[in-house]
Amino acid sequence: VIPEVGHCLELMDRYRMLPNIREHSLLVGRTAGVIGCGLKQAGVAVDPALAIAGGLLHDIAKSLCLSADSKHAEEGARICRELGFPKVAEIVAEHVFLARDMAPDLILEKEIVYYADKRVLHNRLVDIRTRRDDIIQRYGKGDPTVAEAIRANFEICRAVEEKIFRHLPFAPEDLEEQVHGFVLEESFMGCDRG
Ligand SMILES: [Fe+2]
């Protein structure tokens, strides 16, 4: 089962999502929707509704776990599993780090959300390098080991970007324009109306 957009918005309220995280999540959801719809229209087997729900709910536990940031993905996945959304839970669990190597011939919804989250800095679209540097600054705390781990994660992100955009008719730098024109309706009915 995949929760509809309207249900995801209710869950944001129920789990006391802070306004700035809600704004970030809405933009990640729309970004995941643009990518999901673009891939589907290009003939790739992905479910845009699942990518959107994963994008909207990826930080569902963040407001509850602000002091222990690295736990929010796990905690969010637990919440989604309890709510009866195991597919969304898997996406939430891996939105910070992908757990396994990429499937070279497949694009998974969790890769879409992982990537979309790394294009959205607070409430605006940026390139992944800008987002990487922001994360290094906020979480690296001058520790070179942490900074190196973040850099390594963004190398994986760059490979995901390449894989995704091989199928899309627009470039990574044109994503913002696409997202700008994408309205997320409360009951998402598929890609034609976006
Ligand atoms: Fe997150």
Side-chain angles (χ1 to χ4, degrees):
V1 185
I2 298 162
E4 282 193 351
V5 172
H7 190 43
C8 293
L9 301 181
E10 282 169 28
L11 291 171
M12 289 174 173
D13 291 336
R14 196 194 303 173
Y15 290 90
R16 305 263 179 274
M17 192 180 274
L18 296 169
N20 59 318
I21 297 174
R22 186 187 173 100
E23 212 183 333
H24 167 79
S25 298
L26 283 169
L27 191 51
V28 172
R30 286 169 63 209
T31 303
V34 165
I35 294 170
C37 286
L39 290 172
K40 190 174 182 198
Q41 279 154 6
V44 179
V46 293
D47 181 350
L50 177 57
I52 290 169
L56 292 174
L57 296 179
H58 76 283
D59 274 343
I60 190 68
K62 185 121 180 180
S63 302
L64 307 169
C65 313
L66 269 184
S67 55
D69 185 73
S70 59
K71 293 283 171 222
H72 79 275
E74 257 172 64
E75 180 62 17
R78 192 186 60 72
I79 289 171
C80 290
R81 259 192 310 274
E82 279 181 11
L83 291 168
F85 307 128
K87 287 179 167 181
V88 177
E90 203 185 317
I91 293 175
V92 173
E94 297 188 34
H95 82 269
V96 181
F97 300 105
L98 290 171
R100 275 172 292 280
D101 286 347
M102 287 195 295
D105 302 320
L106 286 175
I107 296 177
L108 306 174
E109 289 83 0
K110 66 184 174 187
E111 293 173 328
I112 296 174
V113 173
Y114 164 88
Y115 173 73
D117 183 39
K118 285 164 186 60
R119 289 294 307 268
V120 180
L121 173 57
H122 305 305
N123 60 355
R124 64 193 172 95
L125 264 284
V126 295
D127 58 32
I128 56 176
R129 186 180 293 229
T130 304
R131 179 82 156 110
R132 180 197 69 185
D133 293 346
D134 167 73
I135 291 176
I136 289 175
Q137 194 147 46
R138 277 190 297 147
Y139 299 99
K141 310 243 188 275
D143 181 339
T145 320
V146 176
E148 212 29 68
I150 295 168
R151 277 202 188 84
N153 191 29
F154 273 81
E155 282 305 304
I156 294 169
C157 186
R158 204 166 55 86
V160 172
E161 177 173 75
E162 274 177 32
K163 186 169 81 159
I164 287 173
F165 280 88
R166 228 177 279 147
H167 300 275
L168 292 177
F170 54 89
E173 53 270 29
D174 300 323
L175 186 60
E176 183 175 9
E177 193 189 325
Q178 298 289 325
V179 172
H180 197 75
F182 186 85
V183 178
L184 198 52
E185 290 163 30
E186 287 226 355
S187 115
F188 175 74
M189 299 299 285
C191 296
D192 326 329
R193 295 153 42 100

